[in-house]
Amino acid sequence: MAPKSYNVRVEFDVSETPSDTIISALYEDLARYSASVGSSPAGGLTVRLFLDADSPVDAGTRGVEYAQGALLNQGLYTTQMSGYEVITEEEFDRREAEPRVPELAGLAEVAEITGATKGRASQLRPALEQYLVQELASGPVYLAEDVRRFAAQEYNRVRGVRRTEIPLSPLERALLEALAAAEMHTEVPSPTPEHQVAGTAIEGVVGNGRQLQLHTSPADSGLTAALDTLIEHGLASTRKLFKKELRDLAAGHEDDLVVTLTIKGHRHADIDAVPAAAEAAGAQDTGADGGR
């Protein structure tokens, strides 16, 4: 078995944080392992290092040994280890890429997610009370994922909530349906040339998994105008790419947009959430009913 790269985090109980001189010496002792040294959330001392090993057990055993040896070299004889964790380098990178704070939603975001007006979003506060994270001077704050769940499972199934038809051009409807299908990893039921144009512009899923990278070139193309129409009708929202999302992009994609469909957008797309692979295998339709 070929060795794999692991990240080992070792936690120590300390009565007080070691001096900067000792911290610097620990860095030097463990430099070959790309180590980091700092305080833990519980107030202890954390030593994190990378090493190649045949297994997680081997990585953990050696990582603890190296970390303890470095502390002993600096005269920290009474320091007790409180625990350690071993993960692959790939898992470490995945965790680092996760946002430090989950996506939040105020009343403006509630309106966007539910497809309601801001006034109607304010009226939804009693129904959203169980999802409240904190009440600020500017208004309530919720977890965006909770609001999406509320919109899909409760709000859009309330008696009297119906889909009002919106006049869309063939390209506008094709873009809406292509975005919904790409997000849910399914296929457009009856693809047209317009769907092919829209599908070609969708680069993939980014962000929280519900956002799609859209490449339109030139900027004044028909897709740009179609996207503006979707935004005008509250079917979609956009943002620019974050710096970390730009790092691995090919030249010419710096002005790509990240598009998110609202719940209203999903209703009007009318695409069932059935993966294309499942359809090909003859799986039964388990998709959503569109929440009309």
Side-chain angles (χ1 to χ4, degrees):
M1 180 184 297
K4 292 186 64 174
S5 181
Y6 292 93
N7 178 267
V8 183
R9 177 176 59 85
V10 189
E11 299 281 348
F12 295 95
D13 291 326
V14 292
S15 56
E16 59 183 26
T17 304
S19 66
D20 290 343
T21 301
I22 291 180
I23 294 293
S24 297
L26 291 173
Y27 273 118
E28 294 179 6
D29 287 347
L30 298 170
R32 74 186 71 176
Y33 306 112
S34 301
S36 61
V37 183
S39 59
S40 69
L45 182 69
T46 298
V47 177
R48 188 185 288 276
L49 43 84
F50 291 89
L51 51 86
D52 293 334
D54 293 329
S55 68
V57 174
D58 180 33
T61 301
R62 289 166 51 200
V64 169
E65 178 183 340
Y66 299 156
Q68 288 180 323
L71 265 63
L72 291 174
N73 285 342
Q74 302 307 318
L76 301 177
Y77 300 107
T78 59
T79 302
Q80 298 293 318
M81 185 182 75
S82 57
Y84 71 94
E85 178 189 39
V86 182
I87 57 176
T88 63
E89 186 173 2
E90 290 82 1
E91 173 61 14
F92 175 82
D93 291 339
R94 187 194 67 78
R95 293 184 184 182
E96 286 296 298
E98 289 182 343
R100 300 299 182 185
V101 178
E103 185 183 2
L104 301 176
L107 288 179
E109 288 75 22
V110 170
E112 177 183 315
I113 291 171
T114 59
T117 64
K118 290 185 178 180
R120 173 56 180 155
S122 180
Q123 297 173 2
L124 292 175
R125 291 183 62 169
L128 290 168
E129 183 68 29
Q130 59 181 314
Y131 305 117
L132 182 67
V133 173
Q134 189 171 358
E135 184 77 40
L136 303 178
S138 58
V141 177
Y142 311 95
L143 290 179
E145 191 58 35
D146 286 342
V147 178
R148 291 193 185 95
R149 188 179 304 111
F150 163 80
Q153 298 179 358
E154 300 179 50
Y155 175 68
N156 286 310
R157 298 182 187 278
V158 174
R159 183 183 300 276
V161 176
R162 295 292 184 269
R163 188 180 79 173
T164 302
E165 292 302 324
I166 297 175
L168 297 176
S169 71
L171 183 57
E172 292 163 354
R173 173 149 296 282
L175 177 58
L176 177 64
E177 293 177 351
L179 288 168
E183 179 189 324
M184 295 185 287
H185 307 288
T186 186
E187 295 179 349
V188 176
S190 301
T192 65
E194 288 82 3
H195 287 98
Q196 184 175 1
V197 171
T200 302
I202 299 173
E203 297 292 327
V205 179
V206 295
N208 59 12
R210 297 178 55 88
Q211 301 171 327
L212 297 156
Q213 181 182 338
L214 187 69
H215 177 67
T216 56
S217 179
D220 60 348
S221 67
L223 277 180
T224 301
L227 180 60
D228 289 341
T229 299
L230 300 187
I231 295 171
E232 179 183 351
H233 287 295
L235 304 176
S237 63
T238 63
R239 66 169 173 81
K240 293 183 178 180
L241 288 163
F242 296 144
K243 287 184 178 179
K244 65 179 181 180
E245 294 169 338
L246 287 168
R247 288 181 303 195
D248 300 324
L249 289 183
H253 288 266
E254 296 82 2
D255 295 325
D256 287 6
L257 291 174
V258 176
V259 182
T260 303
L261 290 186
T262 63
I263 295 297
K264 180 179 179 182
H266 278 288
R267 293 205 311 274
H268 282 268
D270 208 17
I271 300 292
D272 287 334
V274 181
E279 286 189 336
Q284 293 184 351
D285 184 358
T286 57
D289 64 6
R292 297 188 186 184

